Amino acid sequence: MPDQVHEAVDKAEAEPVLHMDTTGVPNLDLVLGGGLSRGSLLLVVGPPGSGKTTLASQMAFAAARTGRKVLILTVLSEPNSKLLAHLRTYRFYDQALIGDRVTVLSLQQFLPSGLVSAAKEVVALARDADASLVVLDGFSGVRAADPDPGAARRFLFEVGSTLGVQGATTIITTEAAVWDPALFPEATTADVILGMHFGVHDERQRRRLEVIKARGAAHLPGLHGLDLSASGIEVSPR
């Protein structure tokens, strides 16, 4: 019996303890099966207007309010001021956090040097900002920077794995159909994949959220309601 006790203790000490962070989005933790584990890579996929940027930004500001440092990287060629102007329309936005706990930069300037170099820049920027949460908004722009289909997957792996080792969670938003086969190779690098559905039904806009993948978590399957208002996003589990 003592040997069995020692074996159980040794096993418990050898297994890593996952730190679960709340997403800050109403009911999203429930759908994900308890939140988002620190150091994981979250891929948010959906068509235009589905709420990808809003969801990622809402999570970013929620993390910053708990004292964490956050880095938001945009891939769009438009100025960062446009993103901030968009976010100001939501109640979760806090101007006092910008430049202190929330750093917003553009990745566009690094893409012409190739995705290998861009991945290193992302890691360096996250390290300089001491960020424990990194948001890369607009991954489709990264994918378009290199004609090699495998380059985007390698970029995700390099960024996600390196930041994960440093204890930083990475959120990537990308514009695509939720079940687009072209995303399957990239999806293998993600720990969590959220599918954002958007369409018009009975002359009303309808948004839904689906957990496509949640490694190591007992998530709630199926389509869940998603409300987008001035407060941000709220998930209505089915």
Side-chain angles (χ1 to χ4, degrees), residues 164-176:
V165 170
Q166 296 178 5
T169 302
T170 308
I171 301 175
I172 308 285
T173 71
T174 186
E175 185 174 300

Side-chain angles (χ1 to χ4, degrees), residues 30 34 69 112 184 186 215:
L30 174 62
K69 293 293 186 69
F184 291 171
E186 298 171 11
R215 186 174 292 159

Side-chain angles (χ1 to χ4, degrees), residues 26-86:
N27 297 320
L28 181 56
D29 291 353
L30 174 62
V31 171
L32 286 174
L36 195 61
S37 62
R38 183 75 61 90
S40 60
L41 171 61
L42 166 62
L43 189 62
V44 184
V45 184
S50 57
K52 300 182 299 299
T53 298
T54 301
L55 180 71
S57 301
Q58 188 172 345
M59 294 173 65
F61 277 89
R65 277 192 289 272
T66 66
R68 298 172 64 186
K69 293 293 186 69
V70 176
L71 173 63
I72 299 178
L73 296 171
T74 64
V75 187
L76 302 178
S77 57
E78 62 185 17
N80 293 335
S81 57
K82 285 193 174 183
L83 171 64
L84 295 179
H86 166 71

